[in-house]
C-alpha cells in the first residue's frame, strides 16, 4: 500500500494543563499539516477540558495590570486538578472523562489520540479505557478496594459495549501516569494500544523519570520512545514530525508498509524505532 492509498484519519487531540482546544490547535499546526499530508482528508478534533482555571491554579502565573480584577475570565482549562496538599487524588477527573466521552460520541469514532502533558496522561487513559477487558480489570480492583477509581460509566453505551473500538494508536508528548495506588486499573494489565512517547531531555515540568513510569505501564512490544533535546513542549522540527508520521503509518497501515516507511526516511532517523 502506498501513501497515496491512505485514507483520512480522525484523531482526538487532548491539550495540556492551562491550555484549551484552540490554543493546542495553534501549537500543533505543523503536526496537523504533516498528518494531513500523509493521510489526506484527515481531521483533528480539539475539545477543551471542562475545568476552568483561575490564576491561582496556574503555576508561576503573575497577572498583568490589565488582568488584575478579571480573575473570572480565563483561557486556561484542565481535564482534572491535583488535590490540595500531598494527596494523590485528582479532582474533577470524572468531568474530564465525561467531556472526552462526549467528544467521542459526537465526533468519533477516532482512529487515534494525541495529547500533551496532562493531555498526554489523558491519551494513555483513554487508550486504556477502550481496550478489551479493561472494565473487568476495574471491577476486580474496585471490589478489592472501594477507594479505587471506578470505570467511568460515560465510556459505556446503553448496550453495555464501549463507546468506540480500541484506538489504533496514541502519541504522548511529555506525558505521565496518574498516581498509581488509586488509579492502578488504568495500567494493570499494561496498556496494549500502540503508543509513541516523546520525552524532552530538558523537560523540568515532567521529567524523564515521570515519563518513564508511564512508559513502563505500556506493553514493551507495542510502545516506542523518542527523546528530543528540548523542554516541556511539542517538538515541531521535521525529524520529530517524521517520527510521529512513521509511527502512525506503522499502526494504521500495517507491517506490510514498513518498506514504504523506510523509503521515506523514517527508519533512518536518529530515533529508537
Amino acid at each position: 500500500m502506498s501513501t497515496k492509498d491512505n485514507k483520512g484519519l480522525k484523531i482526538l487531540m487532548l491539550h495540556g494543563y492551562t491550555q484549551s482546544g484552540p490554543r493546542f490547535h495553534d501549537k500543533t499546526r505543523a503536526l496537523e499539516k504533516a498528518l494531513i499530508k500523509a493521510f489526506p482528508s484527515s481531521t483533528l478534533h480539539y475539545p477543551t477540558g471542562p475545568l476552568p482555571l483561575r490564576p491561582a491554579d496556574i503555576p508561576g502565573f503573575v497577572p498583568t495590570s490589565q488582568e488584575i480584577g478579571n480573575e473570572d475570565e480565563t483561557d486556561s482549562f484542565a481535564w482534572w486538578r491535583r488535590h490540595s496538599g500531598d494527596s494523590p487524588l485528582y479532582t474533577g477527573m470524572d468531568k474530564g472523562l465525561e467531556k472526552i466521552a462526549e467528544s467521542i460520541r459526537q465526533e468519533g469514532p477516532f482512529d487515534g489520540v494525541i495529547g500533551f502533558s496532562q493531555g498526554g496522561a489523558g491519551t494513555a487513559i483513554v487508550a486504556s479505557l477502550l481496550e478489551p477487558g479493561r472494565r473487568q480489570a476495574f471491577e476486580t480492583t474496585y471490589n478489592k478496594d472501594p477507594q479505587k477509581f471506578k470505570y467511568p460509566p460515560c465510556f459505556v453505551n446503553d448496550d453495555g459495549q464501549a463507546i468506540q473500538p480500541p484506538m489504533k494508536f496514541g502519541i504522548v508528548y511529555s506525558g505521565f501516569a496518574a498516581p498509581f495506588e488509586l488509579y492502578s486499573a488504568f495500567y494493570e494489565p499494561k496498556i496494549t494500544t500502540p503508543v509513541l512517547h516523546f520525552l524532552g531531555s530538558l523537560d523540568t515540568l515532567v521529567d524523564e523519570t515521570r515519563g518513564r513510569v508511564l512508559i513502563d505501564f505500556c506493553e514493551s512490544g507495542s510502545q516506542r520512545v523518542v527523546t528530543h533535546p528540548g523542554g516541556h513542549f511539542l517538538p515541531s522540527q521535521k525529524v520529530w514530525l517524521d517520527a510521529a508520521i512513521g509511527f502512525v503509518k506503522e499502526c494504521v497501515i500495517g507491517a506490510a508498509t514498513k518498506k514504504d516507511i523506510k523509503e521515506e526516511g523514517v527508519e533512518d532517523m536518529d530515533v529508537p524505532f
Side-chain angles (χ1 to χ4, degrees), residues 216-249:
D216 289 342
F217 286 139
C218 299
E219 283 286 356
S220 59
S222 60
Q223 48 104 327
R224 302 284 190 276
V225 182
V226 173
T227 302
H228 65 86
H232 195 68
F233 61 83
L234 193 150
S236 59
Q237 292 90 345
K238 185 177 184 301
V239 63
W240 314 119
L241 296 176
D242 286 347
I245 299 305
F247 176 75
V248 174
K249 286 182 178 180

Side-chain angles (χ1 to χ4, degrees), residues 70-93:
N70 295 324
E71 287 81 1
D72 293 334
E73 298 179 9
T74 183
D75 190 29
S76 300
F77 297 86
W79 299 106
W80 60 80
R81 292 192 185 96
R82 185 70 179 262
H83 199 276
S84 60
D86 296 328
S87 171
L89 283 172
Y90 287 143
T91 59
M93 178 176 271

Side-chain angles (χ1 to χ4, degrees), residues 16-233:
Y17 188 77
T18 78
Q19 294 182 338
S20 65
R23 289 174 64 186
F24 189 42
H25 188 193
D26 289 341
K27 293 178 179 295
T28 56
R29 296 282 187 181
L31 177 60
E32 179 185 48
K33 182 178 179 180
L35 285 164
I36 293 175
K37 180 179 179 181
F39 300 90
S41 301
S42 292
T43 56
L44 282 62
H45 300 261
Y46 291 82
T48 292
L51 305 179
L53 299 176
R54 300 169 301 168
D57 298 319
I58 302 173
F61 177 82
V62 178
T64 65
S65 58
Q66 290 83 3
E67 291 169 325
I68 294 175
N70 295 324
E71 287 81 1
D72 293 334
E73 298 179 9
T74 183
D75 190 29
S76 300
F77 297 86
W79 299 106
W80 60 80
R81 292 192 185 96
R82 185 70 179 262
H83 199 276
S84 60
D86 296 328
S87 171
L89 283 172
Y90 287 143
T91 59
M93 178 176 271
D94 53 343
K95 294 181 179 179
L97 292 176
E98 286 171 3
K99 179 68 174 184
I100 293 172
E102 177 184 290
S103 296
I104 292 174
R105 294 180 191 278
Q106 294 180 353
E107 301 174 330
F110 292 102
D111 296 285
V113 54
I114 297 174
F116 169 71
S117 194
Q118 190 184 75
T123 291
I125 286 172
V126 170
S128 168
L129 289 172
L130 295 171
E131 291 178 348
R134 186 65 59 178
R135 187 153 40 122
Q136 289 74 18
F138 269 85
E139 290 174 356
T140 298
T141 300
Y142 184 78
N143 288 337
K144 292 180 179 178
D145 183 357
Q147 298 299 316
K148 296 291 184 71
F149 193 77
K150 296 179 66 175
Y151 189 90
C154 56
F155 270 72
V156 182
N157 283 327
D158 292 339
D159 61 3
Q161 301 299 311
I163 55 176
Q164 78 148 66
M167 294 289 182
K168 297 174 183 175
F169 67 89
I171 301 181
V172 171
Y173 292 90
S174 297
F176 53 89
F180 180 72
E181 292 80 5
L182 296 177
Y183 305 100
S184 60
F186 288 127
Y187 312 111
E188 291 184 351
K190 290 188 175 184
I191 296 170
T192 58
T193 302
V195 178
L196 171 60
H197 302 262
F198 279 90
L199 303 175
S201 62
L202 301 179
D203 192 339
T204 58
L205 293 180
V206 180
D207 61 28
E208 185 171 341
T209 300
R210 289 183 69 195
R212 290 198 176 276
V213 170
L214 177 58
I215 291 167
D216 289 342
F217 286 139
C218 299
E219 283 286 356
S220 59
S222 60
Q223 48 104 327
R224 302 284 190 276
V225 182
V226 173
T227 302
H228 65 86
H232 195 68
F233 61 83

